[in-house]
Amino acid sequence: MADIGRFNKLQIIKQASFGLYLDGGEDGEILLPNRYVPKDQPTEVGDWLRVFVYFDSEDRIIATTVRPRAQVGEFANLKVVARNQVGLFLDWGLPKDVLLPFAELKKPLEEGQYCVAYLYLDKHTSRVLATTRLDRYLDKTPARYKVGDAVNLLLVERTDLGYKAIINSEHWGLLHRNEAFRPVKLGRKEQGYIREIRPDGKINLSLQPVGGQAADLLQQQILERLHANDGQLALSDRSSPEAISDAFSVSKSNFKKAIGGLLKKGLILIHPDRIELSRGDED
């Protein structure tokens, strides 16, 4: 039986003028149309292909080698492209759009807008559906992250405190506004870091490394940049947060701490418009 809404490794059992038929087990023969047949690998009867399986617009199980924006069990930022009396349709990168039923809609959406949705298999129809009610698909058990861990983030929604994000497709976390030192966009995937795990289990996030090791790394990066630019850099503690973020992808606060530490070590001098290597560190 094929795994609907996911990639499967299926065997070719028959060739036809319009495509290949694959062995879907209890689902019978599954067509892979000619336009999706790969040109760079064997496609004879008996060979195996990795294909995505779903229901097409005529409600037939069909295979494709096109990679959708998400498969069943995954979260993705998808665009609303149409609506009918049942729900909204989202573009997930395949010819047949995926349905987001109104019952699975957390807040109103209009055509052209994007939403972070989770794809699941409806147990009654075996069709792939989308939902924006994400809580039920996230892990409720205590997270085992450690402060400083690098994690994958999907930014979901804006709140009064900052931005809610899904961590490693498993847990909720919060990126506070003061940690968003550069522009962030909802629906975008980012690399982030665990900044704090609160006593109540809630997780605070950062877009930059945290802790002493991160400070040492930033100081080293600043010194390397100074050595590569004849000992001077047109950034200082008075520079704009945007200029600092563009140069080092860190907040102004962390940059100021780093150059302050280098100043105390006697490695740099700080001027209103620049920093420069001290004479003792120019060699």
Side-chain angles (χ1 to χ4, degrees), residues 69-215:
R69 295 186 175 88
Q71 56 182 338
V72 166
E74 295 180 347
F75 300 90
N77 190 43
L78 303 177
K79 184 179 181 179
V80 180
V81 292
R83 67 187 298 142
N84 65 11
Q85 69 277 11
V86 178
L88 305 175
F89 290 92
L90 309 180
D91 176 9
W92 62 325
L94 296 178
K96 182 183 179 183
D97 301 318
V98 65
L99 174 65
L100 168 59
F102 286 128
E104 295 295 330
L105 191 59
K106 187 175 179 181
K107 62 180 181 181
L109 288 168
E110 301 296 331
E111 289 184 33
Q113 292 182 317
Y114 284 80
C115 65
V116 174
Y118 178 86
L119 300 188
Y120 67 98
L121 202 63
D122 182 70
K123 60 183 179 181
H124 301 295
T125 65
S126 295
R127 268 51 173 181
V128 180
L129 298 177
T131 179
T132 58
R133 298 184 181 277
L134 308 181
D135 285 342
R136 71 187 75 161
Y137 299 103
L138 291 169
D139 197 339
K140 304 300 191 299
T141 60
R144 296 186 177 182
Y145 309 115
K146 301 186 298 295
V147 171
D149 280 354
V151 291
N152 296 316
L153 304 178
L154 176 59
L155 302 176
V156 177
E157 63 179 283
R158 190 175 285 106
T159 73
D160 292 339
L161 297 176
Y163 303 88
K164 287 183 69 175
I166 296 174
I167 307 168
N168 290 348
S169 298
E170 293 177 344
H171 297 91
W172 280 121
L174 180 66
L175 177 69
H176 282 85
R177 289 189 184 280
N178 63 346
E179 289 293 331
F181 57 90
R182 55 177 170 77
V184 297
K185 185 177 180 181
L186 296 182
R188 178 180 293 170
K189 294 180 179 180
E190 301 268 3
Q191 179 172 325
Y193 301 86
I194 303 298
R195 185 171 66 84
E196 178 188 19
I197 300 177
R198 295 173 23 177
D200 61 5
K202 293 182 178 179
I203 303 170
N204 291 331
L205 303 166
S206 174
L207 293 181
Q208 55 197 345
V210 298
Q213 185 176 359

Side-chain angles (χ1 to χ4, degrees), residues 8-40:
N8 295 252
K9 192 173 183 181
L10 302 181
Q11 189 174 33
I12 302 171
I13 56 174
K14 187 167 61 178
Q15 293 179 320
S17 60
F18 43 82
L20 303 175
Y21 282 100
L22 311 176
D23 184 5
E26 295 179 12
D27 293 317
E29 299 176 348
I30 298 176
L31 175 65
L32 175 66
N34 274 332
R35 63 183 178 276
Y36 301 127
V37 174
K39 309 299 183 185
D40 58 350

